[in-house]
Amino acid sequence: MDITLKEELAVKLKSFNGITVYKISQDRFKTNTINIFFHDTLTRETAALNALMPAVLRRGCEKFPTFKDIAVYLEKLYGTSFDCGVAKKGEIQLIQFYIEYVADQYTQEGKGMFEKAFELLFEIITKPVTESGIFKEEYVVQEKENLKRLIESRVNDKVQYAVDRCYEEMCGDEPFGVYEYGTAQDVDKITNKQLYEQYNKILGSLPIDIFVTGDTEDARILKMAEKFSSLNRVNIKNIKAGNISKQIEEVKNITEKMSINQGKLSMGFRTNTAPAEPDYYALMAYSILLGGGMHSKLFQNVREKASLAYYAFSRLEKFKGLMVVSSGIETENRDKAKEIIMEQLGEIEKGNITDNEFDATVKTIETGIKSLKDSQLQMVDFYLSQNMAGTNDTFDTLVQKVNKLTKQDIAEVSKKIKLDTVYFLTKA
Amino acid sequence: MKTKTIEYSRLNEKIFSYEHSSGLKVFVIPKKGYSKKYATFSTHYGSINNSFVIPGESEVTNVPDGIAHFLEHKLFEQKDGSVMEKFSALGSNPNAYTSFNQTVYLFSCTDKFDENFRLLLNFVQNPFITEESVEKEKGIIGQEIRMYDDDPGWRSFFNLLGSFYEKNPVSIDIAGTVESISKINRDILYKCYNTFYHPSNMVIVVVGETEPSEVFKMVDQLIVQTGDKPEIKRIFPQDSPKIKRNYIEQKLAVGMPIFQMGFRDNRLDSRGIEALNHEVAIRILLDMIMGRSSELYNRLYDDGLINASFDTDYTLEENYAFSMFGGESRDPEAVRDRIAEEIRLIGKNGLDRNRFEQVKKAQMGKFLRQLNSVERISNLFITVYFKGVYLFDYFDVYDRISFEYIRDIFHEHFNLDNMALSAVKPV
């Protein structure tokens, strides 16, 4: 049963003062979302400042001066969800604000949920609680403490930690090696005054993307977005993507010890392929074939045949042109696992790809892309990423391009992939 | 073919159901406009069923911990190789999970639903387990267990259950231990399969844009009759009504302590709509007492005792029930003492009716949001179904629930004698 799906595009409604407003139309969800992204260049100097800013803003605004006031208001709006924070895509740090509210038809209160939700986001972002011209000191002190703890707690999730640390070691002298929350020392040094200055820079000069999902009329969206024109915005910062290619002199071997039961092996690769290059689609397929599902070479060989691991995956960092392979193993199996992993890369380079593996890879990608449409946040992330990478693919064009790939394309792109760093988290 | 349709017009949802002659129940929840189709085939058998009487026998059979989960892994192996490859060839994602009460086999696809659905029904009905593959799986599951041993959230959860109960198997890790799974062999796996995988103990749920009558037709063609509906006798050890201990601590490589705490609930008889009422009441109470809009949450946050990771939950099943709340904290014991103090205070001063109305409204909105996801609908539907109710009935419960009812439940549930704390602290 083949169903051709209606193409869902992110339509650009308006662009002004470095602010771009997009709408993704849909009416099948019970809720709708508004997402606001500020784009900044990732640097050691500003990472912690940018991470601290949304943490302080979410504590209160003029209309709702405490966290509790905001929480009570969200409850009154049918349990509307609000969150904010930072993320990194390549060498760009995103400061993001998100709100998800029940669609009008389920509230029995008529229209107006969109306006209320947008208004709240706008208030939180632009009208913080201030004391003598800077942020409320108590909020800054508390959120500095919270941020420091969050940074120290990143070891709690060992699977993610082993991936992040591999990338950090790999890109130690590049902006990508900066953790998006900064370091505890960076946070310690931040003063309220400095944070407030950075806040003004963020509001005044960073490019902003606003994504609205749902069936709200364009005019209503534009009317609310217009509020942002009250901001004094000049010299909008030009945000550049990071460097992709890098010559590797020698493979780095890093071992980190911790009190743990299971070892984690992460191998970092340079793909030397940017998302806007034509062979990026082959790279996508390469990573799925290597370690993106049950049909993949890593799953079949590291897990099913050698019985060494429960998980073994590969994952691309699209914007920086990196790939990581990671697996949880007994610590004494490090070399054996590494050997099997490298063998799989070798097989692909030699073109040893079965028809089954290839077909499954293409279909897995196709299913993955189509599935994104069932989540508003994933749709937003898809189009945001397209814009950032300068690729402008839609769900349909992407599926078409992937379906044109050949085994040869995958073997060809594999030649550009070079091992950079082997990171091993092992027992203390 | 006798089918039933229930319409929930306020939610804009429908449930189509059909009972196969074997006793297997089938449900279809169409989601118009969705790309994904998500199908599950589940058995009412999970990690807690490690002691039972096989139909036709008189002696009790005890099996190694972790066997339901082990069987879940092994079902993917088929006579002609792994069924994963066949799903992969269709571009769909097969998966399975084992919880305390259920084992769920599933796939999600955007294309060729019928072929995927046939595969699912076939492989779950046709185990092909060899001694050799059992031994191989011990290495894989061993690593799964080791991964969870390093997961502080998982550890604090199970340590809390171990504080609530002395004998209840719910406190045993779902995957068992490296030691317990070493005792698993082909024969015991087949014994468990033959006991618990009778269609009458199972349910199929399909969520997505599908035609219910087509789904039912395929079920009719593919479900094999396997004799009369057998009676499975599940044995549960009797626990004392008192909790085993009120504090437990484990050291792991964490940056900041992680904790879970909560109240064991001794009310285990409730099923049907009564179970939903009870669950909703406690969820509302948890939000009223310590949700983000509460005084207590904000005081704890301002004093640096909790952060945004703090969350609450409630579980009510046939043989166990408990509330649970926690997250990261520099001082879990202080959080516990403050929560206990607040509960004493509320016991004396009473609950706030306005807060009740407000939290109720917010939770209805949160419930609606879950209906956006085909996976979420399916997972929730199965859990609720095994209690004898339908997922969408929640909405009516929210409509009807009264302040007086939750006030009674407060006094019943939040008994400080039943409260325990589990902390994972840095090495």
Side-chain angles (χ1 to χ4, degrees), chain A residues 240-405:
Chain A
K240 274 179 278 191
N243 192 32
I244 299 275
S245 297
K246 193 172 182 242
Q247 205 57 38
I248 299 155
E249 325 252 283
E250 197 185 348
V251 175
K252 270 184 257 181
N253 274 291
I254 310 288
T255 300
E256 185 172 339
K257 289 189 175 171
M258 209 180 264
S259 166
I260 47 166
N261 293 294
Q262 186 182 55
K264 305 268 191 272
L265 175 67
S266 293
M267 300 168 68
F269 299 84
R270 305 265 174 188
T271 70
N272 297 300
T273 306
E277 285 176 62
D279 56 353
Y280 176 75
Y281 305 97
L283 179 66
M284 263 171 73
Y286 174 92
S287 178
I288 298 293
L289 169 65
L290 179 66
M294 290 174 170
H295 69 284
S296 71
K297 288 195 181 278
L298 292 179
F299 189 92
Q300 286 304 323
N301 291 284
V302 181
R303 173 175 153 141
E304 294 296 302
K305 286 212 183 86
S307 202
L308 284 183
Y310 170 65
Y311 75 87
F313 61 81
S314 68
R315 195 185 285 166
L316 290 178
E317 207 300 325
K318 171 175 175 172
F319 301 92
K320 179 69 182 163
L322 307 177
M323 183 179 77
V324 70
V325 167
S326 199
S327 183
I329 52 174
E330 284 302 309
T331 50
E332 66 263 25
N333 287 334
R334 176 192 180 275
D335 294 341
K336 204 162 146 193
K338 188 186 157 198
E339 190 186 311
I340 298 174
I341 291 167
M342 290 311 288
E343 264 170 32
Q344 306 317 309
L345 276 101
E347 289 296 302
I348 302 179
E349 198 170 331
K350 278 183 258 166
N352 290 336
I353 304 163
T354 67
D355 287 344
N356 285 344
E357 284 173 332
F358 178 74
D359 291 344
T361 295
V362 171
K363 289 200 178 108
T364 297
I365 299 175
E366 189 176 333
T367 304
I369 295 165
K370 287 181 181 169
S371 298
L372 296 176
K373 295 188 195 180
D374 288 353
S375 154
Q376 297 174 87
L377 292 187
Q378 286 179 351
M379 280 197 280
V380 168
D381 184 66
F382 176 84
Y383 282 111
L384 175 75
S385 298
Q386 292 300 322
N387 289 349
M388 290 174 69
T391 36
N392 300 319
D393 270 315
T394 65
F395 298 112
D396 284 358
T397 62
L398 191 52
V399 167
Q400 283 158 15
K401 284 175 190 169
V402 170
N403 271 299
K404 279 186 198 135
L405 290 172

Side-chain angles (χ1 to χ4, degrees), chain B residues 15-20 22-29 38-44 103-105 107 113 117-118 120-122 124-125 199 201-207 215-216 218-220 222-223 378 381-382 385-386:
Chain B
I15 301 176
F16 295 83
S17 68
Y18 166 59
E19 184 172 341
H20 182 255
S22 62
L24 171 78
K25 309 269 198 323
V26 192
F27 297 92
V28 178
I29 302 168
Y38 189 86
T40 57
F41 193 0
S42 319
T43 168
H44 190 195
T103 313
V104 181
Y105 299 86
F107 70 83
F113 173 79
F117 192 62
R118 286 200 174 93
L120 175 72
L121 266 48
N122 273 326
V124 175
Q125 291 187 91
N201 193 42
M202 301 180 79
V203 62
I204 288 173
V205 180
V206 175
V207 188
V215 173
F216 299 150
M218 279 191 280
V219 168
D220 253 355
L222 295 163
I223 293 297
S378 178
F381 187 91
I382 296 164
Y385 166 75
F386 285 127

Side-chain angles (χ1 to χ4, degrees), chain B residues 255-267:
Chain B
M256 174 164 41
I258 284 190
F259 74 101
Q260 283 299 341
M261 58 178 293
F263 292 83
R264 173 176 147 185
D265 205 327
N266 285 329
R267 174 183 188 140

Side-chain angles (χ1 to χ4, degrees), chain A residues 1-3 5 8 28-32 55 58-59 66-69 71-83 98 100 102 105-106 108-109 138-139 142-143 146 149-150 152-159 258-264 293-295 299-300 303-311 328-330 333 356 359-361 363-364 366-368 370-374 376 378 427, chain B residues 10-13 31-37 69 73 76-77 82 84-85 88-95 108-114 135-144 146-152 209-211 251-256 258 287 291-295 297-298 301-304 306-308 328 330 355 358-359 361-366 368-369 371-374 395 427:
Chain A
M1 178 162 54
D2 276 295
I3 294 168
L5 287 147
E8 309 213 17
R28 63 187 177 281
F29 300 112
K30 309 277 192 241
T31 56
N32 296 146
R58 68 191 274 279
R59 294 300 301 275
T66 67
F67 182 81
K68 182 167 176 274
D69 295 330
V72 168
Y73 186 60
L74 289 169
E75 280 182 350
K76 287 183 177 156
L77 293 182
Y78 287 87
T80 291
S81 300
F82 157 73
D83 207 356
Y98 140 89
E100 180 167 3
V102 172
Q105 65 181 112
Y106 299 103
Q108 304 151 337
E109 281 185 18
E138 188 192 332
Y139 290 171
Q142 284 167 358
E143 292 310 325
N146 280 334
R149 295 248 165 73
L150 182 141
E152 286 159 7
S153 296
R154 63 191 294 221
V155 297
N156 294 5
D157 181 350
K158 309 284 182 297
V159 176
M258 209 180 264
S259 166
I260 47 166
N261 293 294
Q262 186 182 55
K264 305 268 191 272
M294 290 174 170
H295 69 284
F299 189 92
Q300 286 304 323
R303 173 175 153 141
E304 294 296 302
K305 286 212 183 86
S307 202
L308 284 183
Y310 170 65
Y311 75 87
I329 52 174
E330 284 302 309
N333 287 334
N356 285 344
D359 291 344
T361 295
K363 289 200 178 108
T364 297
E366 189 176 333
T367 304
K370 287 181 181 169
S371 298
L372 296 176
K373 295 188 195 180
D374 288 353
Q376 297 174 87
Q378 286 179 351
K427 282 180 194 161
Chain B
R10 275 171 63 200
L11 294 172
N12 196 14
E13 302 285 355
K31 289 294 278 184
K32 211 173 169 316
Y34 274 66
S35 308
K36 263 185 282 189
K37 295 163 182 70
H69 171 260
H73 273 238
F76 282 88
E77 216 122 325
S82 168
M84 293 175 197
E85 283 169 40
S88 294
L90 295 169
S92 58
N93 303 309
N95 210 337
S108 144
C109 73
T110 55
D111 211 357
K112 301 197 171 79
F113 173 79
D114 293 8
E135 288 314 309
K136 194 204 71 182
E137 206 65 33
K138 287 178 184 173
I140 297 170
I141 295 176
Q143 287 312 311
E144 185 176 0
R146 305 280 266 169
M147 180 179 81
Y148 282 114
D149 284 345
D150 283 333
D151 183 332
E209 189 159 359
T210 53
E211 180 50 59
K251 304 256 193 231
L252 281 175
V254 290
M256 174 164 41
I258 284 190
D287 267 358
R292 290 180 168 215
S293 62
S294 69
E295 286 287 342
Y297 179 100
N298 285 277
Y301 190 100
D302 287 347
D303 294 344
I306 58 170
N307 61 22
E328 298 164 351
R330 62 177 162 85
R355 293 259 311 132
Q358 188 183 303
V359 163
K361 186 174 172 188
Q363 287 196 4
M364 283 171 92
K366 296 231 154 90
L368 273 170
R369 189 172 67 176
L371 306 182
N372 282 344
S373 150
V374 293
F395 215 63
V427 181

